[in-house]
Amino acid sequence: LKTEIGEQDKVILGLSGGVDSTVAAELLNRAIGDRLHCIFVDNGLLRKDEFEQVLEDYNDMGLNVKGIRAGDKFLAELAGLSDPEKKRKAIGKVFVDVFDEASKEVEGANWLGQGTIYPDVIESFSATGGPSATIKSHHNVGGLPDYMTLKVVEPLRSIFKDEVRRVGKALGIKQRILGRHPFPGPGLGIRILGDVTAEKVRILQEVDAIFIGG
């Protein structure tokens, strides 16, 4: 990573609270230190109280993390959409917009760090690289729009989830994060049938909290 990223370059990375982005952040943090600027976005589709809990989990990891509440932007973009793939693309668009805006606040940020892992890649593209066999799109796969000047660094792109967990354990990342219950990048927006509304999100957050809490 040190050889790929210049000595003065800064990296902006989107944290989700999950295994992949956290392990990627820890690797980058050890490689470039305080030149890594992490962002955790509340897209309004997180689990109940997750925004606060995730930020608390990162407190003792030595990461430079900024929390951004952007739920209204995501819900506005999702208005009227029922198709899961269209929801994914809408959520991905707003994520890119939020990160583009955030990157402009970090002087010298010219890299975007991502926790992309190999299954993300193979689910988004067919074996030959075409879209015909796409299983589902991932907002962290496929590059960035032309208007963004950031280059992408993905330290986990060629490995699988179980390997990511082993790397995380070796790095000393807490089990609460490594063993986190699986949660899709688009959050509850994909688990809601039909269109997404603030009230549906609220109801599903309560149901999810009961399920996770056992």
Side-chain angles (χ1 to χ4, degrees):
L1 292 175
K2 287 183 179 179
T3 57
E4 186 174 0
I5 301 168
E7 292 184 0
Q8 302 301 320
D9 290 349
K10 293 180 182 178
V11 177
I12 186 168
L13 181 143
L15 285 169
S16 69
V19 178
D20 305 333
S21 65
T22 303
V23 173
E26 182 63 17
L27 285 169
L28 285 163
N29 188 49
R30 294 193 181 201
I32 64 172
D34 60 9
R35 289 187 287 126
L36 173 66
H37 294 256
C38 299
I39 293 174
F40 177 47
V41 177
D42 179 2
N43 60 9
L45 306 167
L46 302 175
R47 288 186 167 122
K48 184 179 180 181
D49 300 325
E50 187 173 28
F51 184 69
E52 295 80 9
Q53 290 173 2
V54 168
L55 289 177
E56 183 178 336
D57 277 341
Y58 287 131
N59 272 343
D60 59 356
M61 288 185 62
L63 296 175
N64 176 17
V65 183
K66 177 181 180 181
I68 297 178
R69 291 194 181 274
D72 290 346
K73 293 181 180 179
F74 285 89
L75 288 175
E77 192 71 26
L78 286 166
L81 297 182
S82 298
D83 179 74
E85 184 63 13
K86 289 182 179 178
K87 290 180 185 178
R88 288 188 179 95
K89 290 185 180 300
I91 291 168
K93 175 184 177 298
V94 181
F95 264 119
V96 169
D97 290 344
V98 170
F99 284 118
D100 183 49
E101 184 177 335
S103 69
K104 292 173 181 175
E105 297 179 6
V106 180
E107 186 177 352
N110 41 23
W111 288 86
L112 176 67
Q114 296 190 143
T116 310
I117 63 174
Y118 193 56
D120 297 340
V121 178
I122 60 179
E123 286 179 348
S124 294
F125 298 101
S126 71
T128 57
S132 58
T134 298
I135 298 172
K136 60 181 180 181
S137 64
H138 290 260
H139 65 262
N140 58 339
V141 177
L144 300 170
D146 292 339
Y147 67 83
M148 288 192 75
T149 58
L150 298 175
K151 294 171 285 186
V152 177
V153 56
E154 299 168 312
L156 308 175
R157 188 181 176 92
S158 61
I159 65 176
F160 289 88
K161 179 75 78 174
D162 59 334
E163 296 171 307
V164 175
R165 286 198 174 96
R166 290 204 297 270
V167 172
K169 185 176 181 180
L171 292 171
I173 295 174
K174 64 183 73 174
Q175 183 58 37
R176 171 171 169 149
I177 293 177
L178 295 180
R180 184 173 183 247
H181 198 283
F183 195 57
L188 299 177
I190 301 303
R191 293 184 173 175
I192 290 174
L193 299 179
D195 63 328
V196 179
T197 66
E199 179 62 9
K200 287 182 180 179
V201 171
R202 186 194 64 78
I203 293 172
L204 187 52
Q205 283 176 331
E206 295 296 336
V207 172
D208 178 79
I210 294 171
F211 174 74
I212 296 297

